Amino acid sequence: MRAERPSLIDPWPVRIVVGALIVGFVGLFLALPLYTLFAQAFAKGVDAYLRAIDEPAAWAAIKLTLTVAAIAVPLNVVFGLAASWCIAKFEFRGKQLLTTLIDLPFSVSPVISGLIFVLLFGLQGWLGPWLRSHDVQIIFALPGIVLATVFVTFPFVARELIPIMEAQGTQEEEAARLLGASGWQTFRRVTLPNVKWGLLYGVLLCNARAMGEFGAVSVVSGHVRGRTNTMPLHVEILYNEYNLTAAFAVASLLALLALATLAAKAALEWRGRTEIAS
Amino acid sequence: MTLALDSVRRGQRAKVLPGFRLTLGITLAWLSAIVLVPMFALVSRAAGVGFDGMIASATDARVLASFRITFGASLIAATINLVFGTMLAWALVRWRFPGRRLLDGFVDLPFALPTAVAGIALTTLWAKRGMLGQIADGYGLQIAFAPPGIAIALVFIGLPFVVRTVQPVLEELEPEIEEAAATLGASRLQTIARVVLPELLPALLTGFALAFARAVGEYGSVIFIAGNRPGQTEIVPLLIVTKLEQYDYAGAAALAVLMLLVSFVMLLAINLLQRWAKKRHGN
């Protein structure tokens, strides 16, 4: 509609120049890197690609990545639901500060996100000596990787849910309560169905980041091959060993996850728009 | 009167809707365990070096060089993103062309693609024998393993920020004001420069600041393409990792706190920008 107003149409020469610049920019920075990724992965054929993935260290990395995401994502879902419930449905002092603190991990360098846990649980960290005497290993082991992942994905779910819950207000929940529903019933039958798409959206983004995180996990993992290597770390090791086909093969799995996330995101956004329109 | 009514209503609401204490308790406990206590550990470790120690570590030649390269490359990358991101947002909002929805979704690729994956792809592309590196090499330019490579990685990871902050503002922009400007005799260029750009300014600056802040902390995509030579292509986050690997915990913490200070200033600037934007568009 808007584009059809004659005074708002950009003249053709402008369209052509700006359009060419955009095509060049998108091609250079988005399309070509993505193309390179898959071209390199399949450079030596499908067999070499499959062999590169079907290898013990690669499977260990895939398993570890799935394990870490399976722990970190549900933890942040529970947190996100709790945080958005108290922030969106109640008024209290310090709410603004709480919201800012929840967003804090987004503005911290991934390296620092790993560093803070090394300073806390590492050998020379605050709790290091105590942990060592009790034979508990956190850094260079699964718990450290999970902690760093939870930190970097901390705001995702809460951030999606808070604006949705705020927009929906409290009337439906109050009505349910007055009609005799318990608090848990109200949440499950009224609130959750209302926010389910937003929740799914948050979970998708949280999961993509959890599986793909590199910097923070790299700092806490110790890079023990087959034991504390997640998929992104495995990609790094293969790449540094000049095993390019294998590095890009594992990387292509992560890229497929990213593309699937983008597709699901687009589908959810489209759904949200049509629901509002109808 | 209204105040009294409000407090009555609020009191009732608190009674009607349960779970405030439980959810606030979970939120605060989880926030403390994951974010606050570890951040406190970092700050107290850095405080251990003292103020003089902080100054000394900040003015070390290698550290200064890494700050220069990090901020320099981030500034260049954010500027490139500002220019092209604005054009991209404009095309996505104002133009109708086949594949528009696909392009719109594609813009988020840098958010979704793991940084290490982006890093190896960009390095392969821009290395001397890579598809684009070859062309650059023909002109005597080295991209990968040199400062331009760092900027390219940072352009990639910062790409969605400007687009995603400018796009919604552009969608909200009333076409009537542009038509009014045109009717009053302004040329298209004048309308854009005097009417559209001032409206977009807060969003442009916010997008720029977000892309810049993200670039300063970026690690995964840069370390592959940078070459990582101390004093030349070594970024601050890598220097933190190096110090950590040498068990210089205090030095790593001091650098990290310096970086955090920078991010807080950026965060404050972004918040002020958004408040300014709200004030201009508000009511």
Side-chain angles (χ1 to χ4, degrees), chain A residues 2 5 7-8 10 22 29 36 79 82-83 85-86 90 109-110 124 126 151 170 173-174 177 219 239 248 258 265 270, chain B residues 13 16-18 20 23 27 30 34 44-45 88 90 95 101 108 112 123-125 131 156 171 175 178-179 217 244:
Chain A
R2 189 175 292 177
R5 298 180 185 226
S7 61
L8 294 184
D10 300 312
I22 290 172
F29 286 98
T36 306
F79 164 77
W85 180 265
C86 69
F90 297 91
S109 170
Q124 295 174 45
W126 271 8
F151 182 92
T170 54
E173 279 87 357
E174 281 165 357
R177 285 288 283 160
V219 170
Y239 184 82
F248 278 101
K265 189 169 170 273
W270 181 74
Chain B
R13 185 165 292 181
V16 170
L17 279 191
F20 175 63
T23 51
T27 307
W30 196 230
I34 298 295
S44 78
R45 177 69 75 142
L88 202 46
W90 182 270
W95 299 356
R101 288 261 309 274
D108 278 332
T123 311
T124 308
L125 195 58
M131 210 198 289
F156 176 83
E171 271 164 4
E178 281 169 67
E179 284 179 334
L244 200 61

Short mmCIF file of all heavy atoms in Angstrom, two decimals, chain A residues 2 5 7-8 10 22 29 36 79 82-83 85-86 90 109-110 124 126 151 170 173-174 177 219 239 248 258 265 270, chain B residues 13 16-18 20 23 27 30 34 44-45 88 90 95 101 108 112 123-125 131 156 171 175 178-179 217 244:
data_model
loop_
_atom_site.label_atom_id
_atom_site.label_comp_id
_atom_site.label_asym_id
_atom_site.label_seq_id
_atom_site.Cartn_x
_atom_site.Cartn_y
_atom_site.Cartn_z
N ARG A 2 1.72 1.29 1.05
CA ARG A 2 2.52 2.47 1.27
C ARG A 2 3.44 2.75 0.08
O ARG A 2 3.60 3.88 -0.33
CB ARG A 2 3.35 2.26 2.54
CG ARG A 2 4.06 3.48 3.00
CD ARG A 2 4.75 3.20 4.31
NE ARG A 2 3.81 3.00 5.39
CZ ARG A 2 4.16 2.68 6.61
NH1 ARG A 2 5.42 2.48 6.88
NH2 ARG A 2 3.27 2.53 7.55
N ARG A 5 2.21 4.93 -2.96
CA ARG A 5 2.03 6.39 -2.97
C ARG A 5 3.12 7.01 -3.83
O ARG A 5 4.30 6.82 -3.55
CB ARG A 5 2.13 6.95 -1.56
CG ARG A 5 1.03 6.39 -0.67
CD ARG A 5 1.18 6.97 0.71
NE ARG A 5 0.22 6.36 1.60
CZ ARG A 5 -0.53 7.06 2.44
NH1 ARG A 5 -0.41 8.36 2.50
NH2 ARG A 5 -1.37 6.45 3.23
N SER A 7 4.54 9.89 -4.25
CA SER A 7 5.61 10.75 -3.74
C SER A 7 6.58 9.98 -2.86
O SER A 7 7.62 10.49 -2.48
CB SER A 7 5.00 11.90 -2.94
OG SER A 7 4.28 11.37 -1.85
N LEU A 8 6.24 8.73 -2.51
CA LEU A 8 7.12 7.98 -1.61
C LEU A 8 7.98 6.97 -2.36
O LEU A 8 8.82 6.31 -1.80
CB LEU A 8 6.30 7.22 -0.57
CG LEU A 8 5.56 8.12 0.41
CD1 LEU A 8 4.86 7.27 1.45
CD2 LEU A 8 6.51 9.08 1.09
N ASP A 10 10.93 5.67 -4.37
CA ASP A 10 12.27 6.14 -4.68
C ASP A 10 12.46 6.08 -6.18
O ASP A 10 12.04 5.13 -6.83
CB ASP A 10 13.29 5.25 -3.99
CG ASP A 10 13.10 5.26 -2.48
OD1 ASP A 10 12.98 6.35 -1.92
OD2 ASP A 10 13.06 4.18 -1.88
N ILE A 22 23.18 -3.11 -1.71
CA ILE A 22 22.63 -4.08 -0.76
C ILE A 22 22.95 -5.50 -1.19
O ILE A 22 23.39 -6.33 -0.39
CB ILE A 22 21.11 -3.89 -0.61
CG1 ILE A 22 20.82 -2.58 0.12
CG2 ILE A 22 20.49 -5.05 0.15
CD1 ILE A 22 19.35 -2.21 0.15
N PHE A 29 28.77 -10.57 2.87
CA PHE A 29 28.83 -10.84 4.31
C PHE A 29 27.89 -11.95 4.77
O PHE A 29 28.06 -12.48 5.86
CB PHE A 29 28.56 -9.56 5.09
CG PHE A 29 29.72 -8.62 5.06
CD1 PHE A 29 29.75 -7.56 4.17
CD2 PHE A 29 30.82 -8.82 5.89
CE1 PHE A 29 30.85 -6.71 4.12
CE2 PHE A 29 31.90 -7.99 5.84
CZ PHE A 29 31.91 -6.92 4.95
N THR A 36 30.47 -20.84 1.35
CA THR A 36 31.80 -21.40 1.62
C THR A 36 31.72 -22.56 2.60
O THR A 36 32.37 -23.59 2.44
CB THR A 36 32.72 -20.31 2.22
OG1 THR A 36 32.71 -19.20 1.34
CG2 THR A 36 34.12 -20.81 2.41
N PHE A 79 13.45 -20.55 35.03
CA PHE A 79 13.80 -19.22 35.49
C PHE A 79 13.02 -18.15 34.73
O PHE A 79 12.46 -17.22 35.33
CB PHE A 79 15.30 -18.96 35.32
CG PHE A 79 15.66 -17.51 35.41
CD1 PHE A 79 15.72 -16.88 36.63
CD2 PHE A 79 15.89 -16.78 34.26
CE1 PHE A 79 15.99 -15.54 36.71
CE2 PHE A 79 16.17 -15.43 34.33
CZ PHE A 79 16.22 -14.81 35.56
N ALA A 82 9.41 -17.96 35.88
CA ALA A 82 9.31 -17.36 37.22
C ALA A 82 9.56 -15.86 37.14
O ALA A 82 8.80 -15.05 37.68
CB ALA A 82 10.31 -18.02 38.17
N ALA A 83 10.63 -15.47 36.43
CA ALA A 83 11.00 -14.05 36.36
C ALA A 83 9.91 -13.24 35.68
O ALA A 83 9.52 -12.16 36.15
CB ALA A 83 12.32 -13.89 35.63
N TRP A 85 6.73 -13.97 35.38
CA TRP A 85 5.52 -13.94 36.21
C TRP A 85 5.62 -12.82 37.24
O TRP A 85 4.73 -11.98 37.34
CB TRP A 85 5.33 -15.30 36.90
CG TRP A 85 4.12 -15.37 37.78
CD1 TRP A 85 4.09 -15.16 39.13
CD2 TRP A 85 2.76 -15.65 37.39
NE1 TRP A 85 2.81 -15.30 39.60
CE2 TRP A 85 1.97 -15.60 38.55
CE3 TRP A 85 2.16 -15.94 36.17
CZ2 TRP A 85 0.60 -15.83 38.54
CZ3 TRP A 85 0.78 -16.17 36.15
CH2 TRP A 85 0.03 -16.11 37.32
N CYS A 86 6.72 -12.77 38.00
CA CYS A 86 6.77 -11.76 39.06
C CYS A 86 6.97 -10.36 38.49
O CYS A 86 6.45 -9.39 39.03
CB CYS A 86 7.79 -12.10 40.14
SG CYS A 86 9.50 -12.00 39.65
N PHE A 90 3.15 -8.30 38.75
CA PHE A 90 3.14 -7.61 40.05
C PHE A 90 3.91 -6.31 39.95
O PHE A 90 4.75 -6.14 39.08
CB PHE A 90 3.77 -8.50 41.13
CG PHE A 90 3.03 -9.77 41.38
CD1 PHE A 90 3.35 -10.92 40.69
CD2 PHE A 90 1.98 -9.82 42.30
CE1 PHE A 90 2.66 -12.11 40.90
CE2 PHE A 90 1.28 -10.99 42.52
CZ PHE A 90 1.62 -12.14 41.82
N SER A 109 31.17 -9.71 27.44
CA SER A 109 31.92 -10.49 26.45
C SER A 109 31.87 -11.98 26.81
O SER A 109 31.98 -12.33 27.98
CB SER A 109 33.36 -10.01 26.40
OG SER A 109 34.14 -10.89 25.64
N PRO A 110 31.71 -12.86 25.82
CA PRO A 110 31.66 -14.30 26.11
C PRO A 110 32.88 -14.77 26.91
O PRO A 110 32.76 -15.65 27.76
CB PRO A 110 31.67 -14.94 24.72
CG PRO A 110 31.36 -13.88 23.76
CD PRO A 110 31.56 -12.56 24.39
N GLN A 124 42.74 -21.83 41.36
CA GLN A 124 43.13 -20.67 42.17
C GLN A 124 41.92 -19.79 42.49
O GLN A 124 42.07 -18.66 42.93
CB GLN A 124 44.16 -19.82 41.43
CG GLN A 124 45.48 -20.53 41.21
CD GLN A 124 46.39 -19.69 40.35
OE1 GLN A 124 46.52 -18.49 40.55
NE2 GLN A 124 47.04 -20.31 39.39
N TRP A 126 38.03 -18.80 44.20
CA TRP A 126 37.50 -18.70 45.56
C TRP A 126 37.24 -20.07 46.17
O TRP A 126 37.66 -20.36 47.28
CB TRP A 126 36.16 -17.94 45.51
CG TRP A 126 36.32 -16.47 45.64
CD1 TRP A 126 37.48 -15.75 45.63
CD2 TRP A 126 35.26 -15.53 45.80
NE1 TRP A 126 37.21 -14.43 45.75
CE2 TRP A 126 35.85 -14.25 45.86
CE3 TRP A 126 33.87 -15.63 45.88
CZ2 TRP A 126 35.10 -13.09 46.02
CZ3 TRP A 126 33.13 -14.49 46.02
CH2 TRP A 126 33.73 -13.23 46.09
N PHE A 151 24.76 -19.03 31.82
CA PHE A 151 25.02 -17.59 31.93
C PHE A 151 24.77 -16.87 30.61
O PHE A 151 24.05 -15.87 30.56
CB PHE A 151 26.45 -17.34 32.39
CG PHE A 151 26.80 -15.89 32.59
CD1 PHE A 151 26.66 -15.29 33.82
CD2 PHE A 151 27.26 -15.12 31.52
CE1 PHE A 151 26.97 -13.94 34.01
CE2 PHE A 151 27.57 -13.77 31.69
CZ PHE A 151 27.42 -13.19 32.94
N THR A 170 -3.55 -8.86 33.85
CA THR A 170 -3.82 -9.88 34.86
C THR A 170 -5.29 -10.26 34.93
O THR A 170 -5.68 -11.07 35.76
CB THR A 170 -3.39 -9.36 36.25
OG1 THR A 170 -4.03 -8.11 36.47
CG2 THR A 170 -1.90 -9.18 36.34
N GLU A 173 -6.25 -14.04 34.54
CA GLU A 173 -5.81 -14.82 35.69
C GLU A 173 -6.69 -14.55 36.89
O GLU A 173 -7.07 -15.46 37.63
CB GLU A 173 -4.35 -14.50 36.03
CG GLU A 173 -3.33 -15.23 35.17
CD GLU A 173 -3.02 -14.47 33.89
OE1 GLU A 173 -3.65 -13.42 33.66
OE2 GLU A 173 -2.18 -14.94 33.11
N GLU A 174 -7.04 -13.26 37.09
CA GLU A 174 -7.89 -12.91 38.23
C GLU A 174 -9.26 -13.57 38.12
O GLU A 174 -9.80 -14.10 39.09
CB GLU A 174 -8.04 -11.38 38.31
CG GLU A 174 -6.83 -10.71 38.92
CD GLU A 174 -6.80 -9.20 38.67
OE1 GLU A 174 -7.70 -8.68 37.99
OE2 GLU A 174 -5.87 -8.58 39.18
N ARG A 177 -8.99 -17.16 39.01
CA ARG A 177 -8.86 -17.33 40.46
C ARG A 177 -10.21 -17.17 41.14
O ARG A 177 -10.58 -17.95 42.01
CB ARG A 177 -7.88 -16.29 41.02
CG ARG A 177 -6.44 -16.60 40.70
CD ARG A 177 -5.94 -17.76 41.48
NE ARG A 177 -5.64 -17.39 42.87
CZ ARG A 177 -5.56 -18.25 43.86
NH1 ARG A 177 -5.80 -19.52 43.65
NH2 ARG A 177 -5.26 -17.84 45.08
N VAL A 219 36.60 -21.08 27.43
CA VAL A 219 37.37 -20.70 28.61
C VAL A 219 37.25 -21.73 29.73
O VAL A 219 38.22 -22.04 30.41
CB VAL A 219 36.94 -19.29 29.09
CG1 VAL A 219 37.56 -18.97 30.45
CG2 VAL A 219 37.32 -18.24 28.07
N TYR A 239 39.89 -27.55 12.82
CA TYR A 239 40.36 -26.48 11.94
C TYR A 239 41.84 -26.20 12.19
O TYR A 239 42.62 -26.05 11.25
CB TYR A 239 39.51 -25.22 12.16
CG TYR A 239 39.86 -24.09 11.23
CD1 TYR A 239 39.34 -24.04 9.94
CD2 TYR A 239 40.71 -23.07 11.64
CE1 TYR A 239 39.67 -23.02 9.08
CE2 TYR A 239 41.04 -22.03 10.79
CZ TYR A 239 40.52 -22.00 9.51
OH TYR A 239 40.84 -20.99 8.66
N PHE A 248 34.64 -28.35 8.63
CA PHE A 248 33.47 -27.76 7.99
C PHE A 248 32.28 -28.71 8.02
O PHE A 248 31.13 -28.26 8.01
CB PHE A 248 33.80 -27.32 6.56
CG PHE A 248 34.48 -25.99 6.51
CD1 PHE A 248 35.84 -25.88 6.34
CD2 PHE A 248 33.73 -24.83 6.69
CE1 PHE A 248 36.46 -24.64 6.31
CE2 PHE A 248 34.35 -23.59 6.66
CZ PHE A 248 35.71 -23.50 6.47
N ALA A 258 21.30 -23.52 12.83
CA ALA A 258 21.04 -22.08 12.76
C ALA A 258 19.95 -21.78 11.72
O ALA A 258 19.03 -21.00 11.97
CB ALA A 258 22.32 -21.32 12.41
N LYS A 265 11.77 -19.40 13.48
CA LYS A 265 11.53 -18.04 13.96
C LYS A 265 10.62 -17.29 13.00
O LYS A 265 9.64 -16.65 13.41
CB LYS A 265 12.89 -17.35 14.07
CG LYS A 265 12.90 -16.02 14.74
CD LYS A 265 14.35 -15.61 15.00
CE LYS A 265 14.42 -14.18 15.45
NZ LYS A 265 14.50 -13.21 14.37
N TRP A 270 5.39 -15.06 11.56
CA TRP A 270 4.31 -15.00 10.59
C TRP A 270 3.00 -15.39 11.26
O TRP A 270 1.97 -14.76 11.09
CB TRP A 270 4.62 -15.95 9.43
CG TRP A 270 3.59 -15.97 8.37
CD1 TRP A 270 3.38 -15.00 7.44
CD2 TRP A 270 2.61 -16.97 8.14
NE1 TRP A 270 2.33 -15.35 6.64
CE2 TRP A 270 1.84 -16.56 7.04
CE3 TRP A 270 2.33 -18.20 8.75
CZ2 TRP A 270 0.79 -17.32 6.55
CZ3 TRP A 270 1.29 -18.95 8.26
CH2 TRP A 270 0.53 -18.51 7.16
N ARG B 13 -5.15 -7.39 44.13
CA ARG B 13 -4.49 -8.14 43.08
C ARG B 13 -3.43 -9.07 43.67
O ARG B 13 -3.32 -10.21 43.31
CB ARG B 13 -3.84 -7.15 42.10
CG ARG B 13 -3.24 -7.81 40.92
CD ARG B 13 -2.96 -6.78 39.85
NE ARG B 13 -4.21 -6.26 39.30
CZ ARG B 13 -4.27 -5.36 38.34
NH1 ARG B 13 -3.18 -4.85 37.86
NH2 ARG B 13 -5.42 -4.95 37.88
N VAL B 16 -5.25 -11.91 45.02
CA VAL B 16 -5.89 -12.77 44.03
C VAL B 16 -4.86 -13.62 43.27
O VAL B 16 -5.00 -14.81 43.12
CB VAL B 16 -6.71 -11.92 43.03
CG1 VAL B 16 -7.18 -12.79 41.87
CG2 VAL B 16 -7.90 -11.31 43.73
N LEU B 17 -3.80 -12.95 42.78
CA LEU B 17 -2.80 -13.69 42.02
C LEU B 17 -1.72 -14.22 42.95
O LEU B 17 -1.05 -13.45 43.62
CB LEU B 17 -2.16 -12.79 40.97
CG LEU B 17 -2.95 -12.58 39.68
CD1 LEU B 17 -2.07 -11.90 38.66
CD2 LEU B 17 -3.48 -13.88 39.14
N PRO B 18 -1.55 -15.50 42.98
CA PRO B 18 -0.57 -16.07 43.90
C PRO B 18 0.82 -16.14 43.27
O PRO B 18 1.00 -15.81 42.10
CB PRO B 18 -1.11 -17.47 44.12
CG PRO B 18 -1.74 -17.82 42.81
CD PRO B 18 -2.24 -16.54 42.21
N PHE B 20 3.73 -14.63 43.99
CA PHE B 20 4.69 -13.53 43.88
C PHE B 20 5.98 -13.87 44.62
O PHE B 20 7.07 -13.77 44.06
CB PHE B 20 4.08 -12.24 44.43
CG PHE B 20 5.06 -11.11 44.46
CD1 PHE B 20 5.60 -10.62 43.28
CD2 PHE B 20 5.46 -10.53 45.66
CE1 PHE B 20 6.52 -9.58 43.29
CE2 PHE B 20 6.37 -9.50 45.68
CZ PHE B 20 6.89 -9.02 44.50
N THR B 23 7.92 -16.88 42.92
CA THR B 23 8.61 -16.58 41.66
C THR B 23 9.72 -15.55 41.86
O THR B 23 10.79 -15.68 41.26
CB THR B 23 7.64 -16.08 40.58
OG1 THR B 23 6.87 -15.00 41.12
CG2 THR B 23 6.71 -17.18 40.12
N THR B 27 13.60 -16.22 41.07
CA THR B 27 14.32 -15.28 40.21
C THR B 27 15.57 -14.74 40.89
O THR B 27 16.66 -14.75 40.31
CB THR B 27 13.40 -14.11 39.83
OG1 THR B 27 12.20 -14.63 39.28
CG2 THR B 27 14.06 -13.19 38.83
N TRP B 30 18.28 -17.57 41.49
CA TRP B 30 18.94 -17.99 40.26
C TRP B 30 19.83 -16.88 39.72
O TRP B 30 20.94 -17.10 39.27
CB TRP B 30 17.85 -18.38 39.25
CG TRP B 30 18.29 -19.18 38.07
CD1 TRP B 30 18.00 -18.91 36.78
CD2 TRP B 30 19.06 -20.38 38.07
NE1 TRP B 30 18.56 -19.88 35.97
CE2 TRP B 30 19.21 -20.78 36.74
CE3 TRP B 30 19.66 -21.15 39.08
CZ2 TRP B 30 19.93 -21.91 36.37
CZ3 TRP B 30 20.37 -22.28 38.71
CH2 TRP B 30 20.50 -22.65 37.38
N ILE B 34 23.86 -17.42 39.32
CA ILE B 34 24.45 -17.47 37.98
C ILE B 34 25.14 -16.17 37.60
O ILE B 34 26.19 -16.17 36.95
CB ILE B 34 23.37 -17.80 36.92
CG1 ILE B 34 22.77 -19.18 37.20
CG2 ILE B 34 23.93 -17.76 35.51
CD1 ILE B 34 23.73 -20.33 37.04
N SER B 44 35.93 -8.45 42.71
CA SER B 44 36.77 -8.48 43.92
C SER B 44 38.18 -8.98 43.57
O SER B 44 39.16 -8.54 44.14
CB SER B 44 36.14 -9.34 45.01
OG SER B 44 36.34 -10.68 44.73
N ARG B 45 38.27 -9.90 42.59
CA ARG B 45 39.59 -10.36 42.17
C ARG B 45 40.37 -9.21 41.53
O ARG B 45 41.56 -9.04 41.78
CB ARG B 45 39.44 -11.53 41.18
CG ARG B 45 40.74 -12.03 40.63
CD ARG B 45 41.59 -12.72 41.66
NE ARG B 45 41.07 -14.04 41.96
CZ ARG B 45 41.84 -15.11 42.18
NH1 ARG B 45 43.15 -15.00 42.16
NH2 ARG B 45 41.30 -16.27 42.45
N LEU B 88 19.57 -1.43 4.06
CA LEU B 88 18.88 -2.71 4.09
C LEU B 88 17.50 -2.56 4.75
O LEU B 88 16.50 -3.08 4.25
CB LEU B 88 19.75 -3.70 4.87
CG LEU B 88 19.59 -5.20 4.65
CD1 LEU B 88 19.50 -5.54 3.19
CD2 LEU B 88 20.76 -5.93 5.29
N TRP B 90 15.76 0.12 4.98
CA TRP B 90 14.94 0.93 4.06
C TRP B 90 14.31 0.05 2.98
O TRP B 90 13.10 0.10 2.73
CB TRP B 90 15.80 2.03 3.43
CG TRP B 90 15.04 2.94 2.52
CD1 TRP B 90 14.85 2.79 1.19
CD2 TRP B 90 14.35 4.13 2.90
NE1 TRP B 90 14.10 3.82 0.70
CE2 TRP B 90 13.77 4.66 1.73
CE3 TRP B 90 14.17 4.80 4.12
CZ2 TRP B 90 13.02 5.83 1.74
CZ3 TRP B 90 13.42 5.97 4.12
CH2 TRP B 90 12.86 6.47 2.93
N TRP B 95 10.40 -1.15 0.01
CA TRP B 95 10.34 -1.74 -1.32
C TRP B 95 9.59 -3.06 -1.27
O TRP B 95 9.60 -3.76 -0.27
CB TRP B 95 11.74 -1.99 -1.89
CG TRP B 95 12.55 -0.75 -2.05
CD1 TRP B 95 12.14 0.54 -1.82
CD2 TRP B 95 13.93 -0.66 -2.43
NE1 TRP B 95 13.17 1.41 -2.06
CE2 TRP B 95 14.28 0.70 -2.43
CE3 TRP B 95 14.89 -1.61 -2.78
CZ2 TRP B 95 15.55 1.13 -2.76
CZ3 TRP B 95 16.15 -1.18 -3.11
CH2 TRP B 95 16.48 0.18 -3.11
N ARG B 101 10.77 -11.40 2.09
CA ARG B 101 10.60 -12.09 3.36
C ARG B 101 11.81 -12.97 3.67
O ARG B 101 12.26 -13.07 4.81
CB ARG B 101 9.32 -12.96 3.33
CG ARG B 101 8.05 -12.16 3.36
CD ARG B 101 7.45 -12.11 4.78
NE ARG B 101 7.33 -13.43 5.36
CZ ARG B 101 6.28 -14.23 5.17
NH1 ARG B 101 5.29 -13.83 4.44
NH2 ARG B 101 6.25 -15.41 5.74
N ASP B 108 19.02 -12.19 10.17
CA ASP B 108 19.32 -12.67 11.51
C ASP B 108 20.37 -13.77 11.55
O ASP B 108 20.71 -14.26 12.63
CB ASP B 108 18.05 -13.17 12.19
CG ASP B 108 17.25 -12.02 12.78
OD1 ASP B 108 17.87 -11.01 13.13
OD2 ASP B 108 16.02 -12.15 12.88
N ALA B 112 22.14 -16.30 14.71
CA ALA B 112 21.88 -17.73 14.88
C ALA B 112 23.11 -18.60 14.63
O ALA B 112 23.23 -19.67 15.21
CB ALA B 112 20.74 -18.16 13.95
N THR B 123 37.30 -16.87 7.40
CA THR B 123 38.75 -17.01 7.21
C THR B 123 39.05 -17.71 5.89
O THR B 123 39.91 -17.27 5.12
CB THR B 123 39.37 -17.80 8.38
OG1 THR B 123 38.91 -17.24 9.60
CG2 THR B 123 40.88 -17.73 8.34
N THR B 124 38.34 -18.80 5.63
CA THR B 124 38.56 -19.54 4.38
C THR B 124 38.25 -18.67 3.17
O THR B 124 38.95 -18.70 2.16
CB THR B 124 37.68 -20.80 4.36
OG1 THR B 124 37.92 -21.52 5.57
CG2 THR B 124 38.00 -21.68 3.17
N LEU B 125 37.21 -17.86 3.31
CA LEU B 125 36.78 -17.00 2.20
C LEU B 125 37.82 -15.92 1.90
O LEU B 125 38.08 -15.59 0.76
CB LEU B 125 35.45 -16.35 2.60
CG LEU B 125 34.60 -15.68 1.53
CD1 LEU B 125 34.26 -16.67 0.45
CD2 LEU B 125 33.33 -15.12 2.17
N MET B 131 38.30 -17.55 -2.00
CA MET B 131 37.58 -16.99 -3.13
C MET B 131 37.73 -15.47 -3.22
O MET B 131 38.00 -14.92 -4.28
CB MET B 131 36.11 -17.37 -2.98
CG MET B 131 35.39 -17.51 -4.31
SD MET B 131 33.64 -17.42 -4.08
CE MET B 131 33.27 -18.93 -3.28
N PHE B 156 30.24 -8.84 10.15
CA PHE B 156 29.33 -9.98 10.09
C PHE B 156 28.50 -10.10 11.38
O PHE B 156 27.27 -10.12 11.33
CB PHE B 156 30.11 -11.28 9.85
CG PHE B 156 29.24 -12.51 9.88
CD1 PHE B 156 28.53 -12.89 8.75
CD2 PHE B 156 29.10 -13.27 11.03
CE1 PHE B 156 27.71 -14.01 8.78
CE2 PHE B 156 28.28 -14.39 11.06
CZ PHE B 156 27.59 -14.75 9.93
N GLU B 171 8.99 1.48 9.96
CA GLU B 171 7.63 0.98 9.74
C GLU B 171 6.58 1.90 10.37
O GLU B 171 5.48 2.06 9.86
CB GLU B 171 7.50 -0.43 10.30
CG GLU B 171 7.86 -1.51 9.28
CD GLU B 171 8.11 -2.87 9.93
OE1 GLU B 171 7.93 -3.00 11.15
OE2 GLU B 171 8.50 -3.78 9.19
N PRO B 175 3.70 8.11 6.61
CA PRO B 175 4.03 8.55 5.25
C PRO B 175 3.52 9.96 4.99
O PRO B 175 4.05 10.67 4.14
CB PRO B 175 3.30 7.56 4.35
CG PRO B 175 2.73 6.52 5.24
CD PRO B 175 2.74 7.00 6.63
N GLU B 178 6.06 12.79 5.00
CA GLU B 178 6.89 12.87 3.80
C GLU B 178 6.10 13.47 2.65
O GLU B 178 6.63 14.27 1.88
CB GLU B 178 7.38 11.48 3.41
CG GLU B 178 8.55 11.02 4.25
CD GLU B 178 8.84 9.56 4.02
OE1 GLU B 178 9.26 9.22 2.90
OE2 GLU B 178 8.64 8.76 4.94
N GLU B 179 4.83 13.07 2.57
CA GLU B 179 3.98 13.62 1.50
C GLU B 179 3.82 15.11 1.69
O GLU B 179 3.87 15.88 0.73
CB GLU B 179 2.62 12.92 1.51
CG GLU B 179 2.71 11.53 0.91
CD GLU B 179 1.37 10.81 0.93
OE1 GLU B 179 0.54 11.14 1.80
OE2 GLU B 179 1.19 9.93 0.10
N GLY B 217 33.28 -6.98 22.46
CA GLY B 217 33.41 -8.18 23.26
C GLY B 217 33.59 -9.45 22.45
O GLY B 217 33.85 -10.51 23.01
N LEU B 244 44.74 -15.80 31.22
CA LEU B 244 44.15 -16.88 32.00
C LEU B 244 44.94 -18.17 31.80
O LEU B 244 45.17 -18.93 32.76
CB LEU B 244 42.70 -17.08 31.54
CG LEU B 244 41.77 -17.79 32.49
CD1 LEU B 244 41.66 -17.04 33.80
CD2 LEU B 244 40.40 -17.94 31.87
#
